[in-house]
Amino acid sequence: MTVLRRTAGVLAATAVIGTATPATTALAAGTSPSPSASAVLPSGLFGGSDPKFDGVWRQSLALLAQRAVGVTPAAKAVDWLAGQQCANGSFAAFRAEPTAACDAQVPVDTNSTAAAVQALKAAGGHDDDVAKAVSWLKSQQNKDGGWGYTPGSASDTNSTGVVIGALAAAGASADRSPYDLLAKWSIPCAEDGGGALAYQPDKQGKLAANADATAAGVLGALGKGFVTTAGKAPAEGYACAGSGSGKALTREEVARNGAAYLGDAMSATGHLVSTLPGAKPQPDYGNTADAVVAMAAQGWTKPAKKPYAWLEAHAVPWAQQSGPAAYAELILAAHAMGADPRDFGGTNLVTALNATGPAPRAAAAKHTEEKKSGSSVWWIVGTGHSWRLRRELVQPRAAKLRSESSSDQRLRRR
């Protein structure tokens, strides 16, 4: 689900073609184009950069993060997102003229639609919009059970994961099970990258470990999305293991093995590494946050503590540069870990996120910690209400690269 989800499709195509344009190179590096001098950004939109590639994605993540911590988003922020929907229920990354009918020139996609479903469901009051979007998503399911980024495209793990999360958030189910596909793309434990999921098989059918796809696949296999609380660790323990019966992996085994791969990948440094072609390897903040969410959802909060601590120590400058979706990802990681996003290494992520968009209608005023069964449960106390921090679900991701990571590649992720 990572932040800069918006250029996922462009970057994936670039990986095939082998040549990056200056624009895609800049976007992949974590920067985003500023609006032209004549451009006027919608007042309900989060962030100050050009929304062409990620408007719906970053808006959805921002609204989800606010709701996860008991903040009521501004009505115009929710209305802006709802107004981006096409008549058939789908969403594009951004529609500059939302009053105009969607046509073949409007590139709708499953990731933007799935993210919007989760955000509108969490915001409430948009059941008809959610139902139309869910109907469209179900109509886009491929024969293999998965989803591709754009209508008619081949299935990929990231898109499949985020759509599963959207359907779960809406209380809907797919016409065909997507879990067999995830099991097929889970790399056997004894092989290189064992436990990980591939973005897609290559032309020869070979699977390559992809951390971004693995995080999405774990949440998808668990039937969860972007917003989740910590699950219960499996009795089998923290390890990658086969089914033991020679049969295909169950969805629970896919999630367990994927989470184990992510934990092992971050055990030494505490973070994942971005490996964009032609670029110097560097820490991958967004995918590290996504990996923390996936591990927590699986119930492995203990091995996720090291990467979470690394994020607390290093990720705030990245979020300041990247904008609302980055703040949202960090908030959702804190939420999944049962930590306080208002004290993220000394930074109040909620205040920082709120400052990137229209002022929320009601924000949590204070929080207290309740000890229960030896664990910390955060409660948000608002104006006359008590809110238990909980995640509704969702994970999107636009089509993602087959490279090992891509938070700063994907201007979706996410």
Side-chain angles (χ1 to χ4, degrees), residues 299-328:
W300 287 335
T301 53
K302 185 174 181 180
K305 286 182 178 179
K306 182 173 182 177
Y308 182 76
W310 182 88
L311 288 170
E312 282 191 301
H314 300 284
V316 171
W318 163 75
Q320 291 171 338
Q321 178 183 17
S322 300
Y327 283 121

Side-chain angles (χ1 to χ4, degrees), residues 185-187 189 193-197 210-211 213-219 221-222 238-241 249-266 272 291 294-295 298 300:
W185 292 353
S186 176
I187 299 175
C189 299
L197 282 92
N210 184 306
T214 301
V218 168
L219 290 179
L222 292 172
Y238 179 71
C240 180
L249 296 177
T250 65
R251 53 186 290 193
E252 292 80 12
E253 289 169 335
V254 170
R256 182 194 67 207
N257 292 353
Y261 168 82
L262 292 172
D264 290 344
M266 298 186 291
L272 296 171
M295 292 178 68
Q298 175 61 24
W300 287 335

Side-chain angles (χ1 to χ4, degrees), residues 199 209-213 275-277 400-406 409:
Y199 171 73
N210 184 306
D212 193 20
T275 54
L276 273 175
K400 298 188 179 182
L401 281 180
R402 301 172 191 176
S403 58
E404 173 63 19
S405 66
S406 68
Q409 301 173 13

Side-chain angles (χ1 to χ4, degrees), residues 95-391:
R95 293 173 62 200
E97 299 293 341
T99 58
C102 294
D103 56 25
Q105 302 304 311
V106 178
V108 299
D109 67 85
T110 60
N111 288 238
S112 297
T113 304
V117 164
Q118 298 172 72
L120 291 175
K121 184 65 178 179
H126 289 272
D127 288 349
D128 290 344
D129 300 326
V130 169
K132 286 199 303 180
V134 165
S135 179
W136 183 83
L137 286 171
K138 291 177 67 173
S139 75
Q140 300 304 309
Q141 188 176 25
N142 291 327
K143 291 182 179 180
D144 61 13
W147 283 266
Y149 180 56
T150 55
S153 63
S155 298
D156 66 79
T157 297
N158 301 80
S159 298
T160 299
V162 72
V163 174
I164 291 173
L167 296 180
S173 58
D175 295 332
R176 294 176 294 280
S177 173
Y179 301 112
D180 291 343
L181 183 67
L182 295 179
K184 289 179 181 178
W185 292 353
S186 176
I187 299 175
C189 299
E191 297 182 11
D192 184 33
L197 282 92
Y199 171 73
Q200 288 173 331
D202 64 17
K203 293 182 178 180
Q204 287 72 43
K206 182 176 176 57
L207 302 176
N210 184 306
D212 193 20
T214 301
V218 168
L219 290 179
L222 292 172
K224 298 183 178 182
F226 301 131
V227 185
T228 184
T229 50
K232 181 179 180 181
E236 293 82 356
Y238 179 71
C240 180
S243 64
S245 61
K247 298 181 179 179
L249 296 177
T250 65
R251 53 186 290 193
E252 292 80 12
E253 289 169 335
V254 170
R256 182 194 67 207
N257 292 353
Y261 168 82
L262 292 172
D264 290 344
M266 298 186 291
S267 62
T269 63
H271 63 82
L272 296 171
V273 176
S274 175
T275 54
L276 273 175
K280 181 180 179 180
Q282 57 185 325
D284 192 330
Y285 303 94
N287 275 339
T288 298
D290 290 349
V292 167
V293 172
M295 292 178 68
Q298 175 61 24
W300 287 335
T301 53
K302 185 174 181 180
K305 286 182 178 179
K306 182 173 182 177
Y308 182 76
W310 182 88
L311 288 170
E312 282 191 301
H314 300 284
V316 171
W318 163 75
Q320 291 171 338
Q321 178 183 17
S322 300
Y327 283 121
E329 282 193 283
L330 296 179
I331 289 172
L332 295 179
H335 183 54
M337 290 291 288
D340 183 8
R342 291 172 173 79
D343 184 13
F344 185 81
T347 296
N348 188 326
L349 295 175
V350 179
T351 297
L353 172 63
N354 291 347
T356 67
R361 286 181 286 179
K366 62 181 179 178
H367 58 271
T368 56
E369 184 178 5
E370 175 190 74
K371 296 292 185 180
K372 184 177 181 180
S373 301
S375 62
S376 298
V377 181
W378 289 99
W379 291 73
I380 299 303
V381 182
T383 308
H385 299 287
S386 293
W387 312 72
R388 183 173 181 174
L389 290 182
R390 65 188 179 84
R391 291 182 72 164

